[in-house]
Amino acid sequence: MNTMNKSRFMTRTATASALASILLLSACSGGGGGSAASKKQDPNGKVTLNFITQSSAIAPADPNDKLVNKRLEEKTNVHINWKNFTNDVFVEKRNLAVASGDLPDAIFNADYSDYELLKLAKDGSIIPLNDLIDQYMPNFKKVLEEAPEYKSMITAPDGKIYAFPWIEELGNGKERIQAVDSMPWINVEWLKKLNLKMPTTTEELKKVLIAFKTQDPNGNGQADEIPLSFINKPGAEDLAFLFASFGLGENPDHAVVSNDGKVIFTAADEGYKKAVSFVNELYKEGLIDIEAYTQDWSTYLAKGKDQKYGLYFSWDKANITGANESYEVMPPLAGPDGEINVTRTNGLGLGRGKMVVTSANKNLETTAKWVDQLYDPTQSVQDNWGTYGDDKQQNIFEYDEASNMLKHLPLEGTAPVELREKTSIGGPLAILDSYYGKYTTMPDDAKGRMDIIKNIMAPHMKADNVMPSVFNSIEELDRLTTIETDLFAYVLRMRTEWYQNGKINEQWDGYLKELDRLGLQEWLKIKQGGYDRATKG
Ligand code: CA
């Protein structure tokens, strides 16, 4: 996963100074006076809850300064006494607070991994939430009824739910925004200059790239064009998109699911062999950027900005070659057998460990009811992206009372991620695909990408299933991590060697044996078990 690309739809960045967090700490410990005791003293019956949270360095230091939280306090009569840390120090501070035993009532924007959730549950630091959901959370229950697949995804193998999730859908199924990670962007100015058509097959692509290399499409008299570039590791800048023309294709997890529900390791498939051989053909023609194996994001970006590439890969072309018309998405190509396929990624907008309730919490009913408000559709939209009617702050929305809908306002040059970080609160929430056009409009920066996926990619996706986000047990997580460390590194190393030396056919049998030695069969068994559990749910 490339966070640089994905983060535009999330609220996480880590750029704060340590100083800011020290100031915050002292500010927080001084004020508030929030404990369960204050509940009795408040004549209005207002309950105070103590939460630890994190936010961006550009957000207000006190989350209660955000209009979304002010309105929530008014609505719920619950005061949250926040201990807020900037993203860069949060994990350390969160872990310190829990280790010291001085537990808050809850941890908001907790971002715990599955392994951490299970460990905290075992230690008794956090509590299962199933009963609270059943008794006090009608909004959240409604989400799980409308999108029941999330129920199994957030449920631990012991049947317990240990955290409230963050769910952000933009499209669903084959049309979800994450369905294709690495998009191929081709230089259409060069195509036009050389009077070439958009390639439709892998052979045509090869010819186009050779023309880019040899016919000086940028017209400067030098052979300075880079026909094909990518960053050679799993992620949005990888050329894995091309693999699908030869069979099942590839995604960053090396995991696809057959239409009869069988988990398949992509890098041991026959089609994978043909795809790697094709890349070797391109290599032999001198079409691949010599820096593809070593370059980092900034090198990749610099050449992209200079429009040196014939074809390159990225989540969004705007990140690399800019929001201009020089590049267009290259539709999926037919392979040697005439078949077109687009491999789906397993990515989705789900943060499983977004909020936990600790064993120190004495106001469980109040806490559950407060969290349930966050799952109200109109509230969730504001939690995630920001709000309307703020006279001190640029607004991301206007609220249309007649239709009860939040409508995105023009950004007027403001970076969407920055405005979201300043005004949204994140945390547990759910935005389902059905909400667009009903409770909110879709963010503009998502729309263009969604259209490409819907119109150009999805019609060619052969796989009906993807690997769901499986909640594995501690033992399984231990084994998966251990196996993947060596297995995935070996796959990448061999793929890279074969791109350059073309010896995949001779070395294939030995490679398959080595995959087994590194634990592939056990990996498949754990993955299949998880898939079966998740899809039965
Ligand atoms: Ca040139």
Side-chain angles (χ1 to χ4, degrees):
M1 293 284 186
N2 186 311
T3 45
M4 193 173 303
N5 296 323
K6 301 285 169 54
S7 66
R8 56 189 321 190
F9 299 114
M10 300 187 178
T11 51
R12 266 178 256 152
T13 51
T15 49
S17 71
L19 181 66
S21 70
I22 292 164
L23 292 174
L24 263 177
L25 251 180
S26 49
C28 288
S29 55
S35 69
S38 60
K39 167 178 158 187
K40 291 170 199 134
Q41 292 153 9
D42 193 306
N44 304 316
K46 186 177 269 190
V47 178
T48 294
L49 299 171
N50 294 303
F51 289 0
I52 290 180
T53 191
Q54 63 174 324
S55 53
S56 157
I58 61 170
D62 181 355
N64 284 331
D65 289 343
K66 290 176 177 171
L67 187 55
V68 176
N69 278 327
K70 283 182 186 165
R71 288 190 180 128
L72 257 177
E73 178 160 348
E74 237 168 75
K75 190 175 171 190
T76 60
N77 207 28
V78 173
H79 177 75
I80 309 298
N81 183 34
W82 300 98
K83 198 177 263 187
N84 178 37
F85 300 103
T86 48
N87 305 130
D88 57 337
V89 296
F90 171 72
V91 169
E92 187 197 336
K93 300 289 183 189
R94 178 197 70 187
N95 294 350
L96 214 63
V98 173
S100 76
D102 184 19
L103 294 170
D105 291 318
I107 305 177
F108 189 88
N109 283 328
D111 289 341
Y112 276 123
S113 69
D114 296 348
Y115 191 85
E116 288 169 325
L117 287 177
L118 295 172
K119 199 83 178 38
L120 291 165
K122 209 173 162 186
D123 297 345
S125 304
I126 61 171
I127 60 163
L129 307 168
N130 304 51
D131 292 344
L132 294 176
I133 295 168
D134 274 347
Q135 291 176 50
Y136 307 119
M137 302 189 66
N139 286 319
F140 187 40
K141 275 202 286 193
K142 214 173 145 200
V143 170
L144 296 180
E145 274 158 32
E146 191 177 332
E149 64 273 25
Y150 291 105
K151 186 153 189 200
S152 60
M153 288 193 266
I154 63 171
T155 302
D158 64 3
K160 306 267 172 55
I161 294 169
Y162 290 112
F164 296 117
W166 168 89
I167 298 166
E168 182 200 79
E169 288 186 345
L170 286 153
N172 61 33
K174 292 181 176 181
E175 295 177 6
R176 75 165 56 125
I177 196 163
Q178 300 92 350
V180 177
D181 192 347
S182 73
M183 291 258 188
W185 303 100
I186 191 163
N187 193 321
V188 287
E189 279 181 4
W190 292 2
L191 285 178
K192 209 169 141 196
K193 179 86 186 290
L194 301 179
N195 206 15
L196 296 165
K197 279 199 212 106
M198 180 70 82
T200 61
T201 68
T202 49
E203 271 314 297
E204 284 175 19
L205 173 64
K206 193 168 140 188
K207 282 180 189 144
V208 162
L209 296 179
I210 290 171
F212 285 169
K213 180 184 164 73
T214 56
Q215 296 180 31
D216 189 27
N218 69 2
N220 66 353
Q222 298 166 29
D224 59 341
E225 290 82 357
I226 300 169
L228 172 63
S229 193
F230 56 95
I231 297 179
N232 185 41
K233 63 178 181 199
E237 295 75 40
D238 192 17
L239 53 53
F241 182 86
L242 298 179
F243 280 42
S245 301
F246 301 88
L248 297 171
E250 177 64 306
N251 63 31
D253 308 322
H254 305 297
V256 296
V257 182
S258 72
N259 287 356
D260 55 0
K262 202 167 155 247
V263 178
I264 299 168
F265 184 67
T266 49
D269 183 64
E270 276 297 309
Y272 183 85
K273 216 177 7 178
K274 291 179 198 152
V276 171
S277 299
F278 176 68
V279 179
N280 173 248
E281 283 176 40
L282 303 181
Y283 175 83
K284 282 188 294 192
E285 297 283 350
L287 303 172
I288 295 177
D289 189 348
I290 52 165
E291 293 184 309
Y293 311 102
T294 54
Q295 63 190 342
D296 60 8
W297 175 265
S298 58
T299 310
Y300 192 55
L301 177 65
K303 289 176 290 183
K305 275 193 167 163
D306 287 345
Q307 310 224 331
K308 292 279 187 195
Y309 301 144
L311 177 69
Y312 75 95
F313 300 83
S314 169
W315 173 261
D316 183 345
K317 69 176 177 179
N319 295 334
I320 305 284
T321 49
N324 54 61
E325 306 303 311
S326 305
Y327 290 80
E328 275 176 21
V329 78
M330 180 181 75
L333 305 172
D337 56 6
E339 294 281 310
I340 304 177
N341 182 27
V342 172
T343 308
R344 297 168 67 180
T345 75
N346 304 308
L348 77 171
L350 171 67
R352 194 146 40 212
K354 212 53 182 175
M355 181 177 183
V356 293
V357 176
T358 75
S359 52
N361 190 315
K362 302 276 185 277
N363 292 293
L364 292 176
E365 180 181 340
T366 306
T367 304
K369 286 178 172 169
W370 184 86
V371 176
D372 193 53
Q373 288 303 313
L374 302 176
Y375 285 104
D376 168 78
T378 307
Q379 181 68 42
S380 277
V381 169
Q382 297 172 67
D383 300 339
N384 202 37
W385 287 314
T387 191
Y388 64 93
D390 194 334
D391 49 21
K392 296 193 191 94
Q393 175 72 46
Q394 185 180 348
N395 289 287
I396 201 142
F397 292 113
E398 63 181 341
Y399 177 63
D400 184 77
E401 220 160 313
S403 59
N404 183 31
M405 203 165 127
L406 291 158
K407 296 186 172 172
H408 278 89
L409 289 167
L411 286 160
E412 282 154 10
T414 309
V417 173
E418 282 183 20
L419 187 49
R420 286 169 197 158
E421 285 183 347
K422 272 189 213 166
T423 56
S424 69
I425 60 168
L429 60 91
I431 298 175
L432 301 180
D433 197 50
S434 60
Y435 292 7
Y436 300 107
K438 190 170 175 193
Y439 301 108
T440 181
T441 55
M442 190 172 281
D444 283 343
D445 50 337
K447 222 190 263 161
R449 204 174 188 281
M450 305 265 306
D451 286 345
I452 292 172
I453 290 182
K454 183 178 178 179
N455 300 322
I456 301 176
M457 303 297 178
H460 297 291
M461 292 174 186
K462 288 184 178 173
D464 294 333
N465 304 311
V466 289
M467 194 68 203
S469 178
V470 172
F471 205 142
N472 291 107
S473 68
I474 286 193
E475 295 75 25
E476 288 168 341
L477 288 165
D478 267 336
R479 287 306 296 152
L480 286 175
T481 308
T482 305
I483 294 169
E484 286 176 2
T485 303
D486 293 334
L487 184 71
F488 288 10
Y490 177 68
V491 164
L492 179 59
R493 180 164 66 80
M494 292 312 292
R495 187 185 86 170
T496 308
E497 284 181 26
W498 290 330
Y499 284 171
Q500 301 180 50
N501 70 20
K503 290 184 180 161
I504 189 164
N505 285 318
E506 298 117 275
Q507 297 180 349
W508 186 251
D509 289 345
Y511 167 80
L512 293 181
K513 283 200 189 93
E514 182 64 7
L515 294 180
D516 282 345
R517 197 188 69 79
L518 293 172
L520 175 58
Q521 296 312 317
E522 188 187 351
W523 183 90
L524 280 167
K525 206 176 148 200
I526 296 171
K527 287 282 183 184
Q528 187 69 54
Y531 178 85
D532 292 343
R533 277 201 311 270
T535 49
K536 252 186 290 165

